[in-house]
Amino acid sequence: MSTKQTIAHAPPQSASRNLETFYYDNTIVRNFAFATTFWGVAGMLVGLIVAIQMVIPTLTDGISFLSFGRIRPLHTNAVIFAFVGNGIYMGVYYSLQRLTKARMWSDLLSRIHFWGWQAIILSALISLPLGISSGKEYAELEWPIDIAITLVWVIFGVNMFMTIIKRRERHLYVAIWFFIATWITVAVLHIVNNIEIPVNFIKSYPIYAGVQDALVQWWYGHNAVAFFLTTPYLGLMYYFIPKAANRPVYSYRLSIIHFWALIFIYIWAGPHHLLYTSLPDWAQSLGTVFSVMLIAPSWGGMLNGLLTLRGAWDRVRTDPVLKFMVVAVTAYGMATFEGPMLSIKTVNAISHFTDWTIAHVHVGALGWNGFLTFGILYWLIPKMWKTKLFSTKLANAHFWIGTLGIVFYCIPLYWAGWTQSMMWKEFTADGFLAYPNFLETVVQIIPMYIMRILGGTMYLVGVFMMVYNMIKTIQSGSFLAQEKSEAPALEKGFKAAKNEYWHRWIERRPVQMLVLSLVLILIGGLVEMIPTFMIESNVPKIASVQPYTPLELQGRDLYVKEGCYTCHSQMVRPFRSETERYGEYSKSGEFVYDYPFQWGSKRTGPDLHRIGGKYPDSWHYHHMLDPRQMSPGSIMPAYQWMITNDMDLSTTAKKIRVMQTLGVPYPEGYAEQANDDLLRQADEIVANLKASGIEYFVVGETVVPAEKMRDKEIIAMIAYLQRLGTDIKAEVQAEK
Amino acid sequence: MSAIFILIGFSLVVALAFLVAFLWAIRNGQYEDDYSPAVRMLFDPSTDSDE
């Protein structure tokens, strides 16, 4: 129980309002600040590793838990949820207390929140490299962790809302509105996108498949950007920039207007991730229109932030805190202009699947989220330790090297994205692809990948400078754990009668009563509708599309586990340049059994949706064992462990049963005979390999003898790859 | 494609919640004064001590 809560001191002449003395909790802010810094360094280090892997694919050769496909999600989760996440909490816990003029409602909940979140990060750190992944971007963490996230988020929400309710400042400053919107929306997004049926403790299938899953995933994904990377940071901007500059927000009225506009418009912009896919045209257009409309409220925020520095621009020249904040807000403006532009179909046709998207992400991530976090840290640490920043010079140097880092990161990737896209689309005068070999387009942009490593390294070096500066600052100061303050209590309005029946409270509030009822009804309705829709709708629209065989299903789950979707797409768009390169464009009906969908967001390697039947089984074996044997110059990592690891056949029956629950039409009782079919198909593939001269497997010193070949993961992977895109091939051939 | 009903449904619920909050804010008089909050937040009666 907190001993630092309200201690009412009545002044000698009794005034109409009691002045209360209380203490702000700085300890929790300090803890989150340390976590932010620690995980920022960790997450960016992983980012550097994956960047180097793209140029030196043999960097972590043979080490499965360091392979690109597994640690790319580690990087994204670390920088989003561990770095920005802890940054959000650091900023919210500091600002919310002072804006409400109240200590956090519960010290216990604060501590549970902190340790709970770090435990979640740790579980991600362990599970992701092991390949325990749901295969959905920024939602890779499997179901036990999803539950933990929900619980911790609720605890955070309770603490936050109770603090707001117990506030001593009646007006809710705009930052608080941003925090509230963040909390509500993230809760809904996380829950809806992570509804999954477990197979075992470390594996589950989402209840959505194919196109459905893509829709839900990108509704979630875009809104994660909106309500985790943007709205909470706008809230922080509205607190920390005025504080750091000691200037009021340029236009408080504008902040109100753009807040409400922003949160209403953002939710509808999600479809811009699915342009030129099988989403209906009207939904794509809706996404485009709302994304373009979003420029207005976003720039409202940017302008408000920048113009707050009117009268303080001279201090930007010398103060590193203000420098970081100005560039952060500018980067926010850049990213929120670029985003809407990328949402326009003609632009998206060029940018999708290229490094342009990565560049765009990092303008926002490094510029907006990174720099605002650094600015806040540089301001907050000296304040909480009651001292001056150890070295302003070093902080300024960090600013410059960090800015250059962003430039050297993003500009090469713009160049790479544009170059590669143009090469993909170029035709010769005779009407053939100018660069039919995908590898040619990869080799062309390696120099830009090298430049990006330089940019990322510079950015990270800057962060190390900050860590050093922070440590020296802390050493020279003394931490103020409990910050004393005083404010009068809020006047109470209507006082309820003592011992009133509890229900009277809502009876006095007809509007809330109505809304609450409505919400409850809607929730109830949705809970009933969701399973109905999801299961009934998974009826094949294309008759020739069949469920995956057990072996192919195991192979598909390996594809998800190894994170193949981080480099390969499975969505051939209806452009001639794509149909010439890959084959028939992808139809929505082909994906009805894909739990989860694996359309991918990036083509570091070629699209795989029509790979089935293109190469013999032996090609795939050699390619997985050493990609450069089959594709000289390839930057794909090798998957040697797939050739020596046994498949886990103990999960087959359960997987089939879960699939049946989800509506996939396996025959009744099939689960029990699934492994028989699996091994039969495995034997066929082994026979193919032997016919091509592969009598046994060799990986380094390990030999897999002929009779053990059928047990290995590579067999399942080959089965899955050979199945991809073949369901409609017969139909297409017949039409031709 | 039927997932769109769920998505529109939940988005509407959230949007509705925001609308309610917006109306509450107006009725509660949160925006009667849209000037002083910006200035008031700059003042902090908190001291540098914990005594």
Side-chain angles (χ1 to χ4, degrees):
Chain A
M1 197 193 99
S2 165
T3 53
K4 303 285 188 186
Q5 279 291 12
T6 308
I7 307 160
H9 295 301
Q13 298 312 104
S14 115
S16 57
R17 292 167 72 183
N18 285 334
L19 199 68
E20 295 175 344
T21 302
F22 55 93
Y23 295 80
Y24 295 130
D25 180 2
N26 281 345
T27 308
I28 188 69
V29 180
R30 176 201 66 181
N31 294 349
F32 278 121
F34 286 168
T36 304
T37 311
F38 180 78
W39 294 119
V41 171
M44 292 176 212
L45 263 169
V46 179
L48 191 57
I49 294 173
V50 293
I52 297 174
Q53 284 176 326
M54 287 180 79
V55 169
I56 308 173
T58 50
L59 186 74
T60 56
D61 208 32
I63 308 172
S64 65
F65 50 85
L66 292 179
S67 71
F68 182 93
R70 296 198 193 180
I71 64 172
R72 186 259 180 181
L74 188 61
H75 166 64
T76 55
N77 276 268
V79 291
I80 295 172
F81 299 112
F83 172 58
V84 171
N86 278 303
I88 291 171
Y89 304 141
M90 163 183 77
V92 169
Y93 276 80
Y94 186 84
S95 62
L96 184 69
Q97 294 188 80
R98 286 154 180 81
L99 289 170
T100 55
K101 292 196 166 62
R103 186 189 178 84
M104 288 312 293
W105 179 67
S106 163
D107 283 6
L108 178 64
L109 289 188
S110 300
R111 272 196 287 283
I112 297 177
H113 176 199
F114 175 77
W115 289 110
W117 197 252
Q118 311 317 312
I120 286 166
I121 296 168
L122 215 61
S123 67
L125 186 59
I126 297 170
S127 61
L128 292 174
L130 288 174
I132 298 170
S133 164
S134 71
K136 292 173 57 142
E137 283 186 87
Y138 324 123
E140 290 92 345
L141 301 174
E142 267 290 0
W143 65 273
I145 310 177
D146 286 338
I147 293 176
I149 292 172
T150 309
L151 288 170
V152 174
W153 193 254
V154 167
I155 285 169
F156 168 49
V158 169
N159 208 3
M160 188 171 75
F161 281 106
M162 286 310 296
T163 307
I164 292 171
I165 288 171
K166 298 286 189 196
R167 65 192 188 281
R168 293 186 185 83
E169 177 56 67
R170 190 178 296 283
H171 175 84
L172 293 173
Y173 186 68
V174 62
I176 300 178
W177 282 110
F178 275 105
F179 301 152
I180 292 175
T182 298
W183 189 88
I184 293 174
T185 319
V186 167
V188 174
L189 293 172
H190 171 73
I191 290 173
V192 173
N193 191 41
N194 284 295
I195 304 178
E196 46 219 1
I197 301 189
V199 171
N200 56 36
F201 195 66
I202 58 172
K203 174 76 187 160
S204 66
Y205 291 121
I207 64 167
Y208 320 99
V211 175
Q212 319 272 33
D213 196 24
L215 252 182
V216 177
Q217 164 62 27
W218 288 112
W219 170 80
Y220 162 85
H222 186 77
N223 285 307
V225 170
F227 289 91
F228 201 82
L229 296 177
T230 305
T231 56
Y233 265 59
L234 283 172
L236 297 190
M237 178 191 88
Y238 274 115
Y239 182 81
F240 287 100
I241 288 190
K243 280 295 195 187
N246 207 23
R247 310 277 309 157
V249 158
Y250 167 69
S251 164
Y252 195 65
R253 194 179 290 185
L254 174 60
S255 74
I256 298 168
I257 293 170
H258 97 89
F259 165 72
W260 291 107
L262 191 88
I263 65 170
F264 276 120
I265 295 177
Y266 237 129
I267 309 190
W268 311 97
H272 70 226
H273 292 264
L274 297 168
L275 300 175
Y276 286 113
T277 68
S278 28
L279 186 66
D281 273 338
W282 65 263
Q284 295 188 32
S285 302
L286 201 79
T288 301
V289 165
F290 275 87
S291 300
V292 172
M293 290 202 296
L294 207 48
I295 297 180
S298 303
W299 275 39
M302 171 190 72
L303 291 170
N304 223 354
L306 288 178
L307 290 172
T308 297
L309 293 159
R310 271 189 328 165
W313 286 108
D314 57 310
R315 269 186 287 138
V316 176
R317 250 184 296 128
T318 49
D319 184 1
V321 171
L322 293 180
K323 283 196 184 62
F324 275 111
M325 293 181 173
V326 165
V327 171
V329 175
T330 307
Y332 173 67
M334 281 164 45
T336 53
F337 178 72
E338 183 176 40
M341 291 302 103
L342 293 172
S343 306
I344 296 169
K345 285 182 87 166
T346 23
V347 180
N348 194 273
I350 298 167
S351 70
H352 192 37
F353 294 134
T354 72
D355 284 291
W356 189 345
T357 309
I358 315 301
H360 168 68
V361 166
H362 285 84
V363 168
L366 302 178
W368 166 237
N369 295 112
F371 267 30
L372 189 57
T373 309
F374 305 150
I376 292 173
L377 280 166
Y378 278 119
W379 184 83
L380 205 51
I381 300 288
K383 203 140 212 297
M384 289 201 296
W385 269 266
K386 301 189 294 181
T387 181
K388 287 175 76 134
L389 182 64
F390 171 70
S391 166
T392 306
K393 250 191 167 175
L394 192 61
N396 278 315
H398 172 194
F399 168 76
W400 287 112
I401 200 174
T403 303
L404 278 175
I406 297 174
V407 170
F408 275 98
Y409 189 104
C410 298
I411 293 184
L413 287 191
Y414 283 133
W415 191 358
W418 190 267
T419 301
Q420 197 174 31
S421 187
M422 291 299 103
M423 288 176 82
W424 289 343
K425 292 177 184 299
E426 190 167 332
F427 282 92
T428 64
D430 317 358
F432 296 107
L433 284 172
Y435 302 97
N437 190 354
F438 189 92
L439 255 176
E440 291 179 274
T441 71
V442 174
V443 167
Q444 190 73 15
I445 61 176
I446 299 285
M448 289 81 144
Y449 284 166
I450 295 173
M451 295 264 274
R452 181 259 300 269
I453 294 173
L454 177 65
T457 306
M458 291 169 74
Y459 194 83
L460 188 56
V461 165
V463 176
F464 280 121
M465 287 174 172
M466 179 184 78
V467 173
Y468 175 75
N469 216 345
M470 274 172 60
I471 293 174
K472 299 297 275 185
T473 305
I474 287 168
Q475 284 174 343
S476 77
S478 85
F479 182 59
L480 180 62
Q482 312 298 332
E483 194 173 315
K484 188 176 176 193
S485 185
E486 47 183 32
L490 272 188
E491 288 161 5
K492 293 235 195 302
F494 165 80
K495 265 192 163 61
K498 263 202 162 75
N499 298 325
E500 189 189 65
Y501 183 59
W502 64 270
H503 200 255
R504 287 260 180 269
W505 181 88
I506 196 152
E507 288 171 14
R508 266 185 261 117
R509 291 166 177 75
V511 176
Q512 284 91 321
M513 166 82 97
L514 173 70
V515 168
L516 198 64
S517 322
L518 203 67
V519 168
L520 289 171
I521 293 167
L522 271 170
I523 291 176
L526 283 164
V527 163
E528 288 171 41
M529 287 196 300
I530 290 176
T532 316
F533 277 128
M534 297 290 64
I535 293 173
E536 294 240 334
S537 71
N538 291 327
V539 171
K541 294 206 173 66
I542 301 175
S544 57
V545 173
Q546 296 297 312
Y548 291 106
T549 67
L551 184 63
E552 290 158 5
L553 189 61
Q554 292 285 21
R556 185 169 209 274
D557 287 346
L558 285 170
Y559 185 99
V560 166
K561 175 182 180 184
E562 297 298 343
C564 304
Y565 66 93
T566 60
C567 285
H568 291 284
S569 57
Q570 287 184 20
M571 169 51 68
V572 181
R573 293 176 293 172
F575 305 144
R576 221 187 124 238
S577 57
E578 301 216 344
T579 54
E580 286 300 306
R581 188 183 296 278
Y582 300 115
E584 184 70 13
Y585 66 89
S586 303
K587 316 281 194 295
S588 60
E590 298 183 73
F591 300 104
V592 287
Y593 301 126
D594 286 15
Y595 293 89
F597 85 111
Q598 291 285 274
W599 290 359
S601 308
K602 175 73 166 49
R603 284 179 187 157
T604 306
D607 187 281
L608 295 180
H609 194 217
R610 297 273 173 241
I611 197 85
K614 265 206 178 131
Y615 302 107
D617 291 352
S618 54
W619 188 95
H620 286 295
Y621 165 77
H622 287 298
H623 184 241
M624 285 291 164
L625 181 56
D626 181 3
R628 278 150 289 287
Q629 248 196 34
M630 295 287 108
S631 312
S634 165
I635 58 173
M636 174 166 155
Y639 287 89
Q640 303 94 325
W641 56 90
M642 255 196 226
I643 284 135
T644 50
N645 282 355
D646 282 342
M647 290 185 278
D648 183 0
L649 299 188
S650 68
T651 57
T652 312
K654 188 74 205 285
K655 286 183 176 180
I656 299 293
R657 273 195 286 272
V658 173
M659 284 295 171
Q660 286 172 318
T661 310
L662 290 167
V664 180
Y666 290 109
E668 185 87 22
Y670 185 67
E672 274 62 51
Q673 63 175 97
N675 268 332
D676 297 332
D677 277 0
L678 185 152
L679 289 168
R680 214 169 329 194
Q681 190 178 0
D683 284 336
E684 283 169 19
I685 293 174
V686 171
N688 285 345
L689 292 176
K690 286 188 173 148
S692 308
I694 302 166
E695 305 285 341
Y696 52 88
F697 298 150
V698 178
V699 176
E701 304 281 289
T702 319
V703 176
V704 177
E707 65 276 11
K708 292 257 195 313
M709 283 161 73
R710 57 147 32 181
D711 300 322
K712 301 304 174 187
E713 288 184 339
I714 184 67
I715 304 298
M717 180 56 87
I718 290 173
Y720 173 62
L721 292 173
Q722 294 291 34
R723 172 65 188 277
L724 275 175
T726 56
D727 283 325
I728 66 164
K729 269 196 179 156
E731 282 190 12
V732 171
Q733 282 301 103
E735 273 168 37
K736 284 192 175 140
Chain B
M1 200 45 56
S2 51
I4 205 152
F5 296 119
I6 294 163
L7 297 178
I8 293 184
F10 274 106
S11 301
L12 272 175
V13 168
V14 174
L16 214 77
F18 288 160
L19 183 65
V20 168
F22 176 64
L23 295 173
W24 171 86
I26 305 237
R27 289 191 62 207
N28 190 258
Q30 287 286 322
Y31 302 132
E32 289 306 309
D33 176 5
D34 61 7
Y35 178 72
S36 34
V39 176
R40 183 169 54 230
M41 62 86 70
L42 291 175
F43 296 105
D44 226 329
S46 65
T47 62
D48 265 358
S49 81
D50 52 7
E51 259 118 74

